[in-house]
Amino acid sequence: MESILLEKIGLFSNKISKDDLKPGDHIYSWRNAYIYSHHGIYIGDGKVIHFTRGGGLEIGTGTFLDKLIISSITNHGGDNPCPNNCGKQTNNKHGVISSCLDCFLSGGDLLLFEYSVSPALFMAKLRGGTCTTASSDPCEEVISRAEFLLLRNGFGEYHVFENNCEDFAMYCKTGLVVGRSYVLGRSGQANSVSAVACVARLVSPWASNAIRLCSDIGMRSDAVKVPVESLVARFSQVDSLAKES
């Protein structure tokens, strides 16, 4: 009964076998009793490129979530050490990192993020962060963006609402950002939190899904394609200004 309910709200409906993975896939896995999910881009050969806050650091929300969502640190799941030494390589790093698939999953289920879904299907998903109406670019472009961002560690500072792992994976897949100021923070998880806050006033599940749909990057008229080199340069400029202030 519980598994049927979880699938209905979209927690397990996108489950996929490792054998069915393809390079360029946007994958994710639920963490901490389904409070949030961690996202990345599978690049083949058992490797995933993803965006994380790093070992033991605060998420930076300034809310109770800092205690609940402690990190997206890679680990091999259970007490078994990673044969690829992913933990030693990444636990003290933050930003865009690469790890093996098992460490990325951290003992969780493997799920495939869906692209080009219809508005009706999007609305039917009661939980955000599982799909988008936006179309994916060819896998070669997706992997190229992910590898460039890994090389430059160029996706800015991690923030659970404004610039998170789902934003990273969605950018790699689509090349889309919002407006000329290159706004990210349009992930399904972030939008779900906003929608819940609105629904607390509207008391309508339909209103929650409508808000999520309107916020989805595939539905926004102000979403624009930005080359990865331009995005990295923009983040570098923002970081420089932050250090000067």
Side-chain angles (χ1 to χ4, degrees):
M1 184 68 180
E2 181 182 3
S3 61
I4 294 175
L5 176 62
L6 291 175
E7 185 161 338
K8 184 176 181 181
I9 64 176
L11 292 182
F12 288 141
S13 58
N14 295 358
K15 200 170 180 180
I16 185 176
S17 165
K18 291 180 181 180
D19 294 334
D20 294 328
L21 268 181
K22 301 178 182 65
D25 278 347
H26 173 174
I27 59 175
Y28 65 101
S29 184
W30 291 103
R31 299 282 203 267
N32 287 12
Y34 316 114
I35 294 173
Y36 76 111
S37 55
H38 188 50
H39 296 245
I41 298 296
Y42 181 70
I43 61 170
D45 296 324
K47 292 290 185 181
V48 183
I49 295 177
H50 51 119
F51 184 51
T52 178
R53 180 66 176 170
L57 299 176
E58 288 184 340
I59 293 300
T61 66
T63 71
F64 71 97
L65 288 175
D66 287 343
K67 296 180 181 179
L68 292 175
I69 310 174
I70 56 172
S71 179
S72 298
I73 309 170
T74 58
N75 70 74
H76 205 57
D79 298 324
N80 298 322
C82 176
N84 301 306
N85 292 319
C86 288
K88 292 181 180 179
Q89 297 173 30
T90 63
N91 277 355
N92 295 320
K93 292 181 64 177
H94 68 279
V96 183
I97 64 174
S98 174
S99 64
C100 72
L101 179 59
D102 286 332
C103 280
F104 171 83
L105 295 174
S106 296
D109 291 301
L110 172 63
L111 298 107
L112 180 68
F113 194 95
E114 295 180 287
Y115 284 80
S116 300
V117 303
S118 67
L121 179 58
F122 187 96
M123 292 274 283
K125 301 278 189 179
L126 299 184
R127 182 72 180 262
T130 63
C131 63
T132 179
T133 60
S135 299
S136 170
D137 288 330
C139 62
E140 294 82 3
E141 292 183 34
V142 175
I143 294 171
S144 177
R145 288 189 190 112
E147 290 181 336
F148 187 86
L149 291 169
L150 173 66
L151 179 66
R152 301 291 296 272
N153 196 7
F155 207 68
E157 290 295 322
Y158 186 100
H159 191 284
V160 69
F161 294 134
E162 298 175 1
N163 192 38
N164 60 39
C165 56
E166 188 182 346
D167 292 317
F168 168 81
M170 290 182 71
Y171 172 74
C172 290
K173 289 287 282 185
T174 67
L176 293 173
V177 298
V178 176
R180 295 181 180 179
S181 58
Y182 297 1
V183 175
L184 293 159
R186 289 298 158 190
S187 65
Q189 296 185 90
N191 289 330
S192 287
V193 173
S194 299
V196 167
C198 292
V199 169
R201 297 189 295 271
L202 297 172
V203 194
S204 169
W206 183 90
S208 171
N209 288 352
I211 292 168
R212 285 199 301 108
L213 179 62
C214 292
S215 299
D216 180 59
I217 200 164
M219 301 295 292
R220 294 181 64 102
S221 60
D222 55 350
V224 294
K225 287 269 189 183
V226 173
V228 66
E229 296 84 358
S230 299
L231 187 72
V232 169
R234 172 62 174 169
F235 275 125
S236 177
Q237 182 183 33
V238 170
D239 289 343
S240 296
L241 291 173
K243 290 176 182 177
E244 292 174 2
S245 60

